[in-house]
Amino acid sequence: PATTGWYVSRASYLLAIGRPAAQVALYHPTDSEWLGDQGSDSVTVSLTQQLMEHQIDFDYIDYDSFASLFTFEGGGIRNLSGQLYRAIIIPSSTVIQKAMLERLRAFAKAGGKVLFVGRTPSMVIDRTFLNPEGAPDLSFATIEPTPDITPRVVAALPKPDVKFEVACSSVKYLHRSLKDGEIYFFFNESDKPQSDNALLSGNGHVQVWDASTGKISPMKGARAGRGTVSINLVLEPFESKFIVIGPGI
């Protein structure tokens, strides 16, 4: 239908014009999986789901990108798109590359947060799996033995850009930053309506942009704070909603 086409077109445009704003990177432990560590893969999948359910925006990274494509800046690592990660989560692993370990130490020294969630690596390898070293010194990092996004993990992560008053695992979101504003895309994955007070990072007017009709409306009841806005987010079953914070129209 034409309505669906317009919705997809507008939604895609809004998500494309902004820079991804995730502050957290989830490392993909490829080396451990090459060794047949199925638990590592299972924990990575589980952490993916839990991060979304905790409204923690994140991106995947791997060894090659972290070792060569990122630069240290302002207590974080910046990718080629200009996005700044302030925390890295390492899922359960069997091994870790020496160069990766050294890079993580440097990241932590520069002010970044490194979290090992689940089993910590028992071996350090160089370019090959031959002649591995023993378990690494991880004193620079936060260690969470439980393979879950526990309160300890959440407390160690950067200040969130979305914080719900009451936990709501069925609501997920994406965040994009503009030069003069913020775009938040919320979606309710459940068949029940959801209503929650939410604190969002941003400054300026708060508007609801309807991707189906193109209509832009001020969001009633929004309250400005110091670098944040407080809203009451209401989503019908399976509904999605764009909320834009900025100079207004």
Side-chain angles (χ1 to χ4, degrees):
T3 302
T4 302
W6 278 115
Y7 173 87
V8 172
S9 179
R10 293 189 181 104
S12 298
Y13 174 76
L14 288 174
L15 293 174
I17 61 175
R19 186 184 68 246
Q23 303 180 81
V24 177
L26 178 61
Y27 182 68
H28 198 279
T30 308
D31 291 320
S32 294
E33 293 176 5
W34 273 111
L35 288 180
D37 187 347
Q38 295 182 353
S40 182
D41 179 64
S42 298
V43 171
T44 302
V45 172
S46 176
L47 294 183
T48 296
Q49 181 67 24
Q50 291 181 54
L51 286 168
M52 292 190 294
E53 291 177 349
H54 282 79
Q55 290 81 44
I56 299 172
D57 200 7
F58 73 97
D59 290 328
Y60 291 109
I61 64 169
D62 59 14
Y63 166 75
D64 289 332
S65 59
F66 185 59
S68 61
L69 300 180
F70 292 178
T71 56
F72 292 109
E73 181 180 329
I77 49 172
R78 192 173 295 279
N79 64 16
L80 296 180
S81 298
Q83 187 176 353
L84 190 69
Y85 300 105
R86 300 187 181 277
I88 299 175
I89 297 174
I90 314 294
S92 290
S93 305
T94 301
V95 300
I96 188 168
Q97 292 200 38
K98 182 180 292 186
M100 178 71 181
L101 187 62
E102 292 172 353
R103 190 84 164 157
L104 288 172
R105 285 199 184 99
F107 175 61
K109 187 176 181 180
K113 301 291 186 180
V114 180
L115 299 90
F116 285 82
V117 179
R119 279 185 293 105
T120 55
S122 58
M123 294 184 291
V124 178
I125 60 173
D126 209 338
R127 294 186 178 181
T128 72
F129 291 102
L130 298 174
N131 305 315
E133 299 177 10
D137 175 9
L138 303 178
S139 57
F140 63 90
T142 297
I143 308 297
E144 174 51 72
T146 305
D148 294 309
I149 302 300
T150 64
R152 173 181 171 83
V153 172
V154 174
L157 293 175
K159 181 181 177 182
D161 51 10
V162 171
K163 184 175 178 59
F164 283 0
E165 186 174 72
V166 179
C168 184
S169 61
S170 64
V171 176
K172 313 298 192 299
Y173 85 103
L174 294 172
H175 179 192
R176 299 289 187 266
S177 288
L178 306 172
K179 289 183 179 180
D180 59 352
E182 310 294 331
I183 298 175
Y184 291 92
F185 178 53
F186 290 96
F187 42 102
N188 177 14
E189 291 188 337
S190 76
D191 58 358
K192 297 179 175 58
Q194 304 293 335
S195 176
D196 205 339
N197 292 324
L199 192 67
L200 313 183
S201 294
N203 291 293
H205 298 278
V206 184
Q207 302 171 326
V208 178
W209 290 22
D210 190 328
S212 296
T213 64
K215 182 180 178 181
I216 297 175
S217 307
M219 189 165 200
K220 297 179 180 179
R223 300 180 301 279
R226 187 172 299 178
T228 62
V229 295
S230 178
I231 66 168
N232 179 242
L233 181 65
V234 178
L235 295 169
E236 296 301 321
F238 305 114
E239 183 185 12
S240 63
K241 185 173 291 185
F242 279 97
I243 296 176
V244 179
I245 306 172
I249 293 178

